[in-house]
Amino acid sequence: MSTPTVSRDTGPEWGAGPYADALRTGRGPLFLRRTDGWLLPLEVERWCAGADTADLSALRRCEGPVLDIGCGPGRLVAALADRGHRVLGIDVSAAAVARTTAAGGTALCRSVFDPLPDEGRWGTALLLDGNIGIGGDVRALLARTAELLAPHGLLIVETSPADIDERVRVQVAGGHTGHPAHTDESFLWARVGTRALLRHAAPELWTPAAQWTVPGGAQLPGADRCFVALRHSRTAVPRSRG
């Protein structure tokens, strides 16, 4: 199976500007701002804290070596290492990687679509905290993740609590007004609920393994955090890139 041809439009503003500033300070406010002005709050304070109950509900299911895609400041990398897993975080933000490694974790500043270590040999991959949206093409991201996993490996995805399936162009926005720092910079992002994720998960690549919810979640007050586990259903030949 070859790497899908997708746009590398994964977000220049993740690497600098308000996102990097928020990770350095551990505080928001931070948003994804759609072109129509709608704002999606990003939970910087939670990302910069330790793994919470909802996170641990996913981490307990991890098998073997774990790849955390879009690791952010590294709370999941740290928690998995504490549980005895070999774990690698990847992120396009140098600030995120620096924070992860400063805390003792292992992380690389790379896109998921770049060549990565141990392709075809990871036991579990994580797409939490909305990272199923990376690149704005859920099917391409799922296909790429299948390349990274070992045969019968596990992918754990956090989905939106809303029944949604959207692909939009957004900007990272900081400050209390939510105005983006660079109005000429935008990138594609996706948001999917559980039903949409299962529609996008090609049956020749994925078998649904579990679905669960945990109370909480700041993006929709009072809503649950929602998770789906998918089992890689195709026998893959390990790749040696990276």
Side-chain angles (χ1 to χ4, degrees):
M1 179 173 59
S2 60
T3 303
T5 301
V6 296
S7 169
R8 294 295 181 86
D9 187 14
T10 53
E13 292 196 32
W14 291 120
Y19 179 68
D21 292 342
L23 290 193
R24 292 188 189 102
T25 63
R27 298 192 305 274
L30 194 70
F31 309 90
L32 288 183
R33 183 179 188 271
R34 243 173 18 199
T35 53
D36 63 3
W38 181 86
L39 297 174
L40 174 68
L42 301 178
E43 301 179 73
V44 176
E45 289 84 356
R46 180 173 66 79
W47 297 347
C48 291
D52 61 18
T53 300
D55 297 328
L56 293 174
S57 76
L59 302 190
R60 283 193 294 269
R61 297 171 184 263
C62 290
E63 304 167 358
V66 182
L67 182 67
D68 184 10
I69 299 168
C71 66
R75 78 185 189 285
L76 304 179
V77 172
L80 284 163
D82 287 345
R83 297 175 71 88
H85 287 275
R86 180 169 73 86
V87 54
L88 174 68
I90 59 168
D91 205 290
V92 296
S93 166
V97 170
R99 184 155 180 154
T100 300
T101 56
T106 302
L108 295 175
C109 191
R110 295 190 193 177
S111 164
V112 65
F113 297 109
D114 290 335
L116 294 171
D118 295 328
E119 294 199 11
R121 293 192 286 272
W122 293 98
T124 304
L126 300 177
L127 285 167
L128 305 190
D129 300 327
N131 286 330
I132 188 62
I134 290 171
D137 187 333
V138 173
R139 293 187 182 187
L141 181 56
L142 289 173
R144 173 58 178 147
T145 307
E147 285 193 325
L148 300 173
L149 285 171
H152 311 297
L154 194 67
L155 170 62
I156 301 177
V157 180
E158 183 171 356
T159 58
S160 172
D163 187 9
I164 192 169
D165 187 357
E166 70 172 13
R167 183 175 188 260
V168 294
R169 187 160 286 275
V170 297
Q171 298 164 301
V172 176
H176 291 280
T177 61
H179 292 302
H182 307 290
T183 56
D184 59 341
E185 295 282 356
S186 64
F187 54 95
L188 292 172
W189 196 253
R191 291 199 304 145
V192 294
T194 295
R195 291 202 299 177
L197 176 71
L198 295 175
R199 286 197 302 270
H200 288 301
E204 67 272 18
L205 292 178
W206 302 107
T207 301
Q211 300 177 37
W212 70 99
T213 60
V214 179
Q219 292 188 12
L220 291 176
D224 294 338
R225 285 180 65 190
C226 305
F227 301 87
V228 177
L230 300 171
R231 181 73 62 184
H232 187 200
S233 57
R234 172 179 285 178
T235 300
V237 176
R239 302 169 66 91
S240 59
R241 297 188 309 173

